[in-house]
Amino acid sequence: MIPFIDLQAQRLRLGGKIEAAVQDAVVGGAWVMGPQVRQFEADLATFGQAKHALGCANGTDALALPLMAWGVGRGDAVFVPSFTFAATAEVVPWFDAEPVFIDVDADTYNMDAGHLEAAIEATLKEGRLTPRVVIAVDLFGQPADYAAIKTVCDKHGLKLISDSAQGFGCTINGEHPLKWADVTTTSFFPAKPLGCYGDGGAVLTNDDELAQLMDSIRVHGKAVAVDLKDRTFDHDPKYLNMRIGLNSRLDTIQAAVLIEKLKVFGQEIEWRNAAAARYNEGLRPHVAKVPDVPTGNISNWAQYTIEHPNRDALAAHLKEQGVPTAVYYPIPLHLQPAYEHYPRGPQGLPVTERLKNVVISLPMHADLDAATQDKIIAAVASFKG
């Protein structure tokens, strides 16, 4: 059976470096917020072209941290795509705010800036909610159209979060999404292109004060430098609680794993792009659509996702051929029981509702070799349904 994501191949390729890093962290004994966390945060900030990077417990908390720092709450609207994992919208009701669901572009599957603009205008006209934040998702590894989305945000005075849980490492003309976003968030869930060996996440920002506030919130609302400007406190600042916070810290052992994986991450993105190009060449004649990336953009190819009009039958055929597949997302968020009562942009979400029936993802990882890809391509080509 061909693996959908081969995490062990990477571990073996690194030749014991991860095991050694974990052992060093264990022996060091600083298992929570140890020195490896600080090193990884510095390395991550450099890679992501950010002034600040803060590790946290997972990618969902990473989305919550800026919302808490900005005081998002009851009566506020946060605009999110529906064609994404639940975490993007899930954090919004945590604070009694409401997600407003936006349609996606038919080519990139990322937030449609035109529909976003229409949804903000409709929200303002209705007057029930105050637009506050946009969360754009870098779905399957492709960057969202940040130039267009940022223009809309600036017009209406909204904050912008880049949810790069799937897309961290993607760029637009060499620039990471943080060039446009107030905050970039990411996840280190093991299946992500930059994944750890458990749960983990991070927030990146160029805003000095916001970085301090999020640092405070991730450790129970501890006092940070901005809080102590005119105050004397001679004890551990975690015992002076300035705001309601979370317990959302990145474990030292996970940071140790990520330090080693980040060292090879840039090379792995290149390998993923080579694999995607090979897929595109071989599959284009046999499917309805392959995932083309706009000129100047680089995807990290968290997933390789095609469209096929007989998607479910194709999946069954590939399973018989020993090729695993995945379907993201068979029920978009605005149709889910937990979210169906929240607002949607004007004229509904027709692209999202079409995609749910036709998209299917094939095996993709940095160690995917040409021979395995040839088998997968041949299996797709042999489907006659």
Side-chain angles (χ1 to χ4, degrees):
M1 183 74 172
I2 296 169
F4 187 70
I5 300 175
D6 192 345
L7 300 178
Q8 294 299 331
Q10 181 200 50
R11 183 182 66 83
L12 294 172
R13 170 167 43 85
L14 292 177
K17 292 179 180 178
I18 289 178
E19 290 86 344
V22 169
Q23 180 66 15
D24 286 346
V26 171
V27 172
W31 300 320
V32 177
M33 299 296 280
Q36 289 89 342
V37 174
R38 300 303 180 199
Q39 179 185 337
F40 174 65
E41 289 176 338
D43 294 348
L44 190 69
T46 298
F47 183 93
Q49 300 172 349
K51 289 179 68 176
H52 307 279
L54 303 171
C56 60
N58 52 68
T60 309
D61 282 1
L63 290 165
L65 288 170
L67 296 182
M68 293 180 73
W70 290 326
V72 170
R74 181 168 299 175
D76 290 337
V78 178
F79 299 86
V80 302
S82 177
F83 196 58
T84 184
F85 185 62
T88 307
E90 180 180 41
V91 295
V92 179
W94 286 6
F95 310 110
D96 288 331
E98 294 189 30
V100 179
F101 290 110
I102 307 301
D103 208 0
V104 295
D105 177 82
D107 291 324
T108 67
Y109 308 156
N110 286 325
M111 180 177 278
D112 183 323
H115 195 236
L116 170 65
E117 170 76 25
I120 294 171
E121 294 285 1
T123 302
L124 290 168
K125 183 177 180 180
E126 182 188 29
R128 187 176 64 85
L129 299 172
T130 300
R132 289 288 307 279
V133 180
V134 172
I135 304 179
V137 175
D138 300 325
L139 198 74
F140 302 151
Q142 282 216 48
D145 186 357
Y146 284 106
I149 293 170
K150 175 65 169 173
T151 297
V152 175
C153 288
D154 287 348
K155 176 181 176 180
H156 295 283
L158 275 62
K159 297 291 189 182
L160 175 58
I161 295 174
S162 163
D163 178 352
S164 214
Q166 294 183 24
F168 186 75
C170 69
T171 54
I172 301 172
N173 296 319
E175 302 282 355
H176 288 254
L178 192 61
K179 176 181 179 179
W180 298 271
D182 295 281
V183 175
T184 291
T185 70
T186 192
S187 166
F188 303 126
F189 184 77
K192 305 299 184 187
L194 181 61
C196 59
Y197 286 177
D199 263 322
V203 290
L204 294 86
T205 186
N206 291 320
D207 185 322
D208 297 339
E209 184 170 342
L210 179 61
Q212 287 194 52
L213 292 176
M214 293 191 295
D215 181 30
S216 170
I217 292 167
R218 70 172 173 167
V219 187
H220 303 287
K222 70 176 183 178
V224 290
V226 68
D227 300 316
L228 298 175
K229 183 177 179 181
D230 299 313
R231 181 191 298 265
T232 299
F233 188 71
D234 296 326
H235 308 281
D236 190 326
K238 72 181 180 181
Y239 297 122
L240 178 59
N241 307 105
M242 303 300 297
R243 54 193 57 85
I244 302 298
L246 304 172
N247 178 14
S248 188
R249 299 169 296 202
L250 180 65
D251 290 343
T252 303
I253 289 174
Q254 301 303 340
V257 171
L258 288 163
I259 287 170
E260 297 304 317
K261 296 183 95 175
L262 185 59
K263 291 176 182 177
V264 298
F265 187 43
Q267 177 67 72
E268 289 184 347
I269 291 175
E270 293 181 12
W271 291 343
R272 286 171 173 269
N273 275 272
R278 185 180 180 86
Y279 263 147
N280 276 7
E281 181 181 0
L283 291 173
R284 198 180 297 274
H286 306 292
V287 301
K289 182 178 180 297
V290 296
D292 289 310
V293 177
T295 301
N297 290 9
I298 297 294
S299 174
N300 74 5
W301 295 101
Q303 306 293 345
Y304 181 86
T305 303
I306 58 175
E307 294 182 22
H308 197 285
N310 201 359
R311 187 264 314 281
D312 294 339
L314 173 61
H317 171 78
L318 293 178
K319 184 177 181 180
E320 291 177 355
Q321 303 294 312
V323 177
T325 60
V327 173
Y328 310 95
Y329 295 91
I331 306 179
L333 293 182
H334 72 285
L335 301 178
Q336 295 273 4
Y339 299 98
E340 60 188 2
H341 62 286
Y342 287 115
R344 308 168 190 182
Q347 283 75 56
L349 284 71
V351 177
T352 296
E353 294 187 17
R354 180 187 70 82
L355 292 175
K356 71 183 178 64
N357 298 314
V358 297
V359 293
I360 183 170
S361 298
L362 302 176
M364 169 59 82
H365 53 90
D367 293 282
L368 184 61
D369 60 84
T372 302
Q373 276 197 282
D374 287 344
K375 293 178 183 177
I376 296 167
I377 293 168
V380 174
S382 69
F383 177 62
K384 305 305 181 184

